[in-house]
Amino acid sequence: MASTQAAAATEQAPTKNPTLLAWVAKMAAMTQPDRIVWCDGSEAEKQRLTEQAVKDGTLIPLNPQKRPGCYLHRSNPNDVARVEHLTFICTPNKTDAGPTNNWMEPEAAYTKLSQLFEGCMKGRTMYVVPYAMGPLGGASTKIGVELTDSDYVVLNMRIMTRMGKAALDMLGDSDDFNRGLHSTGDVNPDRRYICHFPQDNTIWSFGSGYGGNVLLGKKCLALRIGSYLGREEGWLAEHMLILGVTSPKGETTYIAAAFPSACGKTNFAMMIPPKEYAGWKIETVGDDIAWMRPGPDGRLYAINPEAGYFGVVPGTNYKTNPNAMETISKDTLFTNVALTPDGDVWWEGKDGEVPEELIDWQGKPWKKGSTEKAAHPNSRFTAPMSNNPVLSGKANDPQGVPISAIIFGGRRSNTVPLVLQAFNWTHGVFLGATMGSETTAAATGKVGVVRRDPMAMLPFCGYHMGDYLQHWLDMQKSIPQLPKIFQVNWFRQDKNGKFIWPGFGENMRVLEWIVNRVQGRVPTQETLLGWVPRQDQGLNLNGLDLPAEAIQEATSIKEDEWKTELKSQEVFFEQLGTKAPEALMLQRKLLIARLDG
């Protein structure tokens, strides 16, 4: 049977690429699927797979009048988020993976997972999914091929990547492609592994059906493998949104921003400015991932390697993110949200009244007033970026966009002010490296605990975090026109535990100040920790119904809090050991000396 499958893989293939054919044949011999389907990315294929997924219960059609082309998927209740404790970096030396990653020796990992993959696709179809991360034909674009037994994965990859024949054509006869193997197995958490082999440009994922674990182009290739490739090849693979902000005078500034999951990346990338900013325009290049490399003119250029959005649904509404609501109004896959009696979807935080009755994310009846969540806190939408009303015309530009500013922002209830500009590149890297954020439901574990999340890359860095931070410092030599670096915090709270800053569209006021700083238009106030807006020529607060003392609290730098903050950073740097970059250690010592002076 195994040899028959290997032969079938070659006979049916729409490619003559010898390396690809040999690999598919080898994986088919191990997993033993009943049949092999090479995906071409066509509309006919989408229709066929969708009908099949509805028939087998993987997808539930939604009301075509309310949500045309939309479907609901319910994952196994034990499989609802990324599993960081089951995610491994498999390098020959444990040191290369570093203390922030789980490590497994490559041969041991291949052996362990081969036993799980052996015969796992009997009775199933293996889909061969060629895909491009990045605009087709671009110098920064990478090709991957994912083998999966999940039609849900195929339909998601069709949205999230440039999938099918075009990617296969771009690959040609090259052997430079990411080799991704995925099986849902029996969706058993005790047999669930997501293993990355950076030196082999390979990802094996077993036992999960959840997006972040199984859409291998996303976090697995775009960030974990991508960050490793970036260091090898002299670029940066980052957990960052990319947006363009255009002033009424027609001046466009491109900004990349790193926020941990569920801290407002998508909202910021699709922001609608308040009425006081008539004539300003925000356009989305990307909402989650940026690949950035030095350009020929000395600036840093970024592409969004994805073609869709895999966003957190709860809290999304026409107040928080009207553009996201328009984006998910058609041709969208919803995962783990609630179902209304009339065939629409619902989640906590959606506009309007809470329905009296629903079917919850687990398929159980739910009544208004229930203590249980109707939609899972990490429920998701998968939507094509072409749905986005404010999609940038540069989103498909193979050259990318020139980045003028980089923003780091976590979810902090105290300490970190609304906005702060770094003194220089090294100080900016320090701010990103020591960024802390309170944990969310996007990863399994406790909620509300502050953890260091360097550049929002803690779960996604594919090699030693100390080497990663040193790579950031080293990139300064390759970028003559460095972007300015800023830190923001929308989530500061008052003494009653209420958010001080209104956030969402009002974040435009902070963004305008950042643009003005980049363009050298406004003076600033120097503090011990960085530059902040001046009270007289700082943030534009016209029309903002917020007391002066609230603004003062949101933007304040409290020395006692920062002494505690700098002290707590010691644990993080000790964790990095001898690979903690000396420049960042000195930066911390300098700040401590300033506060103690």
Side-chain angles (χ1 to χ4, degrees):
M1 172 67 79
S3 59
T4 304
Q5 292 300 346
T10 305
E11 288 166 11
Q12 301 165 14
T15 178
K16 298 267 193 287
N17 185 312
T19 308
L20 175 56
L21 291 173
W23 172 68
V24 173
K26 184 178 179 181
M27 296 302 101
M30 175 170 66
T31 56
Q32 299 173 38
D34 274 16
R35 65 191 189 112
I36 296 168
V37 172
W38 289 75
C39 296
D40 60 16
S42 66
E43 280 296 324
E45 176 181 82
K46 175 192 175 185
Q47 185 175 344
R48 186 177 72 251
L49 287 173
T50 301
E51 289 171 357
Q52 175 184 305
V54 169
K55 186 177 179 181
D56 66 24
T58 301
L59 295 180
I60 299 168
L62 298 179
N63 185 321
Q65 276 71 48
K66 290 178 175 287
R67 300 269 172 186
C70 294
Y71 297 83
L72 170 63
H73 171 73
R74 297 187 182 117
S75 72
N76 189 304
N78 75 27
D79 187 31
V80 294
R82 284 182 288 104
V83 281
E84 292 175 17
H85 65 292
L86 301 175
T87 301
F88 294 86
I89 302 297
C90 305
T91 51
N93 299 310
K94 187 175 183 179
T95 307
D96 293 335
T100 60
N101 285 314
N102 301 310
W103 174 80
M104 206 184 300
E105 193 275 327
E107 286 310 311
Y110 281 130
T111 300
K112 180 188 276 284
L113 269 70
S114 291
Q115 293 168 354
L116 297 172
F117 276 112
E118 188 71 39
C120 70
M121 294 189 189
K122 286 180 180 176
R124 303 182 184 184
T125 297
M126 172 189 276
Y127 297 99
V128 183
V129 185
Y131 63 95
M133 297 302 288
L136 289 163
S140 299
T141 298
K142 300 290 185 185
I143 299 296
V145 180
E146 177 168 358
L147 310 180
T148 180
D149 55 9
S150 165
D151 47 12
Y152 170 77
V153 167
V154 179
L155 289 166
N156 274 272
M157 289 292 283
R158 191 181 189 283
I159 296 172
M160 292 303 301
T161 71
R162 294 149 176 96
M163 183 270 269
K165 182 179 183 300
L168 209 54
D169 290 346
M170 184 175 165
L171 177 63
D173 289 333
S174 172
D175 63 355
D176 184 13
F177 63 94
N178 181 267
R179 295 145 176 81
L181 176 63
H182 165 252
S183 174
T184 55
D186 56 0
V187 201
N188 185 334
D190 295 329
R191 291 191 291 276
R192 182 172 297 158
Y193 295 92
I194 297 88
C195 290
H196 306 73
F197 304 85
Q199 280 89 347
D200 300 340
N201 199 7
T202 293
I203 306 159
W204 282 16
S205 172
F206 188 89
S208 175
Y210 170 76
N213 302 325
V214 302
L215 307 181
L216 300 186
K218 193 163 180 59
K219 307 298 192 188
C220 296
L221 171 54
L223 291 179
R224 296 193 189 99
I225 297 293
S227 60
Y228 170 84
L229 295 175
R231 184 177 66 146
E232 295 294 302
E233 299 169 4
W235 51 281
L236 296 163
E238 299 301 325
H239 188 203
M240 292 182 176
L241 65 90
I242 312 165
L243 62 78
V245 52
T246 303
S247 73
K249 294 180 179 179
E251 174 189 73
T252 301
T253 306
Y254 291 100
I255 292 168
F259 296 89
S261 294
C263 284
K265 273 200 314 300
T266 303
N267 290 346
F268 195 52
M270 298 182 180
M271 179 169 53
I272 293 180
K275 63 181 184 297
E276 291 81 13
Y277 281 82
W280 287 80
K281 185 170 63 173
I282 303 291
E283 292 181 305
T284 317
V285 179
D287 82 320
D288 193 42
I289 294 169
W291 285 357
M292 303 189 290
R293 66 177 69 225
D297 61 357
R299 293 186 290 177
L300 185 66
Y301 280 77
I303 66 163
N304 168 20
E306 300 188 290
Y309 308 124
F310 183 67
V312 176
V313 189
T316 304
N317 55 54
Y318 276 99
K319 179 179 180 294
T320 62
N321 196 337
N323 285 321
M325 292 296 285
E326 290 299 319
T327 299
I328 62 178
S329 64
K330 63 178 182 179
D331 301 325
T332 295
L333 300 179
F334 292 91
T335 301
N336 293 338
V337 295
L339 186 65
T340 66
D342 62 351
D344 197 4
V345 282
W346 189 87
W347 53 85
E348 279 71 16
K350 192 183 178 192
D351 303 274
E353 290 294 312
V354 177
E356 293 296 325
E357 293 187 352
L358 295 163
I359 302 298
D360 76 4
W361 68 274
Q362 297 185 69
K364 299 174 183 175
W366 183 94
K367 290 189 184 303
K368 185 177 180 178
S370 169
T371 56
E372 299 291 318
K373 298 282 190 188
H376 189 274
N378 195 42
S379 53
R380 297 279 174 157
F381 60 79
T382 317
M385 70 178 184
S386 55
N387 279 9
N388 182 358
V390 292
L391 182 67
S392 169
K394 297 283 189 179
N396 285 301
D397 188 335
Q399 303 303 314
V401 295
I403 299 299
S404 297
I406 292 171
I407 299 173
F408 295 115
R411 178 182 284 267
R412 295 297 302 273
S413 57
N414 54 39
T415 311
V416 179
L418 181 62
V419 62
L420 178 85
Q421 181 183 349
F423 291 126
N424 51 47
W425 182 260
T426 302
H427 180 221
V429 173
F430 174 82
L431 292 177
T434 56
M435 188 167 76
S437 192
E438 289 157 24
T439 51
T440 73
T444 52
K446 292 183 179 179
V447 176
V449 178
V450 175
R451 70 171 180 177
R452 297 287 155 204
D453 194 352
M455 282 48 170
M457 282 287 283
L458 184 68
F460 308 123
C461 184
Y463 59 104
H464 196 294
M465 184 60 75
D467 290 333
Y468 165 78
L469 296 174
Q470 187 60 53
H471 177 52
W472 260 86
L473 293 167
D474 292 343
M475 284 297 291
Q476 179 174 2
K477 304 181 191 112
S478 307
I479 313 166
Q481 295 185 48
L482 289 165
K484 303 285 192 293
I485 299 180
F486 299 82
Q487 186 174 36
V488 300
N489 178 25
W490 318 131
F491 300 98
R492 196 139 172 189
Q493 297 177 12
D494 62 19
K495 61 180 182 293
N496 299 317
K498 302 288 187 185
F499 291 126
I500 302 169
W501 183 249
F504 305 111
E506 301 298 347
N507 293 337
M508 180 67 215
R509 300 172 187 275
V510 175
L511 189 56
E512 182 196 17
W513 184 79
I514 288 172
V515 169
N516 283 333
R517 287 297 301 154
V518 165
Q519 305 296 348
R521 281 197 286 263
V522 292
T524 187
Q525 177 71 42
E526 183 170 339
T527 72
L528 295 171
L529 295 153
W531 287 313
V532 298
R534 277 170 48 160
Q535 288 191 358
D536 59 340
Q537 299 179 59
L539 298 173
N540 175 4
L541 303 175
N542 293 337
L544 187 63
D545 184 20
L546 209 59
E549 55 269 25
I551 299 290
Q552 179 65 31
E553 178 67 17
T555 57
S556 65
I557 292 175
K558 299 179 180 178
E559 292 191 11
D560 58 332
E561 289 182 350
W562 272 96
K563 284 181 179 178
T564 303
E565 176 77 4
L566 289 162
K567 176 66 178 171
S568 72
Q569 292 170 4
E570 189 174 356
V571 176
F572 169 68
F573 283 113
E574 285 176 351
Q575 186 184 19
L576 299 183
T578 57
K579 286 183 177 281
E582 183 66 22
L584 300 187
M585 304 278 278
L586 290 171
Q587 193 70 226
R588 178 172 170 269
K589 286 180 182 176
L590 179 62
L591 293 172
I592 290 172
R594 282 183 184 150
L595 287 170
D596 290 344

